[in-house]
Amino acid sequence: MAKIAQYPADGEAHGAPPGTVPARMRAFRSGWPVDDGIAVFNDAYLAVTEELGRRIDRGKFPDRGSAATLRVLLAERYLAAVDTVTAGGRAPACWRPLFQLRRHRGVRPLQFALAGINAHIGHDLGLAVVDTCRTLDCRPTDLEGDFDRVGEILTMLEERIREDLMHGPELLEITDPLAHLLGSWSLERARDGAWSAARLLWGLRGLPALAAEFTERLDAGAGLVGRCLLTPLR
């Protein structure tokens, strides 16, 4: 089906060698204030990628190598966005609202976390599937089982994130608008859209101009949703 993956699972929560995905995320976190919007998402995503690594190591995925490759190539899109902004560049449209509003006091931590998940699933995931297919010389259908299991973990962690971040007396006055705003976004629909985008982009691989146009619009659409999720509530 596929060539041997080029990336290790590196699922250790601690002690991962320098340069691995979790190590780079922990390095980012150490340089940001805890209330920074990017830091909030980074912590949530660190939990996701560590959980994925543990499950890959335990053989919970149909193909350990392809799952590890998808995990790393997906994470690299977020890491590249951070590196670009850190170097003074312009983030992709899907990530731009989160970087622009990362210190806005009227945006709640839960909004930051879900806006990051939206960018990563609504734009990055579909492209990472295609990246993985090119790396391993396989097709999106070969990765469907891994994709579904990644989605199950994301759903579980999204629920945990909502429970952890939506609490406390400071939220009592904004609970209704916050619930309305966040209830308008669905991880399940975003996952479905990412799978459709991956299959479409794979079908357009021989038409680079059309593929580039579709990717640009996918990026812009995810950015628009992210900006709505980050609407200040005070």
Side-chain angles (χ1 to χ4, degrees), residues 41-62:
F41 168 73
N42 190 79
D43 283 351
Y45 189 33
L46 178 59
V48 170
T49 197
E50 288 180 338
E51 180 64 21
L52 281 173
R54 285 190 289 268
R55 294 194 181 201
I56 290 169
D57 288 342
R58 293 199 299 264
K60 300 296 185 180
F61 283 77

Side-chain angles (χ1 to χ4, degrees), residues 20-29 42 45-46 49 75 78-79:
T20 62
V21 167
R24 290 180 66 190
M25 289 185 188
R26 286 192 289 272
F28 287 157
R29 181 177 61 184
N42 190 79
Y45 189 33
L46 178 59
T49 197
Y78 160 64
L79 298 173

Side-chain angles (χ1 to χ4, degrees), residues 197-208:
R199 295 181 62 189
L200 180 56
L201 283 168
W202 186 249
L204 291 174
R205 64 192 182 281
L207 300 167

Side-chain angles (χ1 to χ4, degrees), residues 52-114:
L52 281 173
R54 285 190 289 268
R55 294 194 181 201
I56 290 169
D57 288 342
R58 293 199 299 264
K60 300 296 185 180
F61 283 77
D63 185 317
R64 182 179 183 275
S66 62
T69 303
L70 175 60
R71 170 179 175 255
V72 172
L73 291 177
L74 175 59
E76 284 294 337
R77 289 192 167 270
Y78 160 64
L79 298 173
V82 176
D83 288 343
T84 296
V85 173
T86 301
R90 186 173 173 84
C94 61
W95 288 105
R96 211 168 295 151
L98 192 55
F99 282 99
Q100 291 172 340
L101 296 170
R102 62 191 296 179
R103 295 182 177 87
H104 198 298
R105 297 302 178 190
V107 180
R108 310 306 301 182
L110 180 56
Q111 292 174 262
F112 287 126
L114 294 187

Side-chain angles (χ1 to χ4, degrees), residues 17-200:
T20 62
V21 167
R24 290 180 66 190
M25 289 185 188
R26 286 192 289 272
F28 287 157
R29 181 177 61 184
S30 67
W32 295 329
V34 293
D35 58 349
D36 183 299
I38 303 296
V40 172
F41 168 73
N42 190 79
D43 283 351
Y45 189 33
L46 178 59
V48 170
T49 197
E50 288 180 338
E51 180 64 21
L52 281 173
R54 285 190 289 268
R55 294 194 181 201
I56 290 169
D57 288 342
R58 293 199 299 264
K60 300 296 185 180
F61 283 77
D63 185 317
R64 182 179 183 275
S66 62
T69 303
L70 175 60
R71 170 179 175 255
V72 172
L73 291 177
L74 175 59
E76 284 294 337
R77 289 192 167 270
Y78 160 64
L79 298 173
V82 176
D83 288 343
T84 296
V85 173
T86 301
R90 186 173 173 84
C94 61
W95 288 105
R96 211 168 295 151
L98 192 55
F99 282 99
Q100 291 172 340
L101 296 170
R102 62 191 296 179
R103 295 182 177 87
H104 198 298
R105 297 302 178 190
V107 180
R108 310 306 301 182
L110 180 56
Q111 292 174 262
F112 287 126
L114 294 187
I117 294 173
N118 166 73
H120 210 38
I121 304 307
H123 174 264
D124 292 353
L125 180 56
L127 273 63
V129 169
V130 175
D131 292 341
T132 303
C133 288
R134 288 174 173 155
T135 299
L136 301 180
D137 191 20
C138 64
R139 299 166 298 176
T141 52
D142 297 324
L143 301 176
E144 190 167 6
D146 294 328
F147 182 93
D148 289 341
R149 283 166 176 77
V150 169
E152 291 169 3
I153 295 170
L154 289 169
T155 298
M156 176 190 71
L157 289 171
E158 185 214 12
E159 293 172 355
R160 185 186 304 171
I161 288 166
R162 287 178 183 263
E163 292 174 359
D164 289 347
L165 295 181
M166 194 171 178
H167 65 84
E170 72 277 6
L171 290 180
L172 292 179
E173 295 182 0
I174 63 168
T175 295
D176 287 343
L178 182 62
H180 175 76
L181 178 66
L182 301 180
S184 65
W185 183 81
S186 164
L187 176 59
E188 184 176 357
R189 289 196 297 270
R191 282 171 45 199
D192 290 345
W195 182 246
S196 296
R199 295 181 62 189
L200 180 56

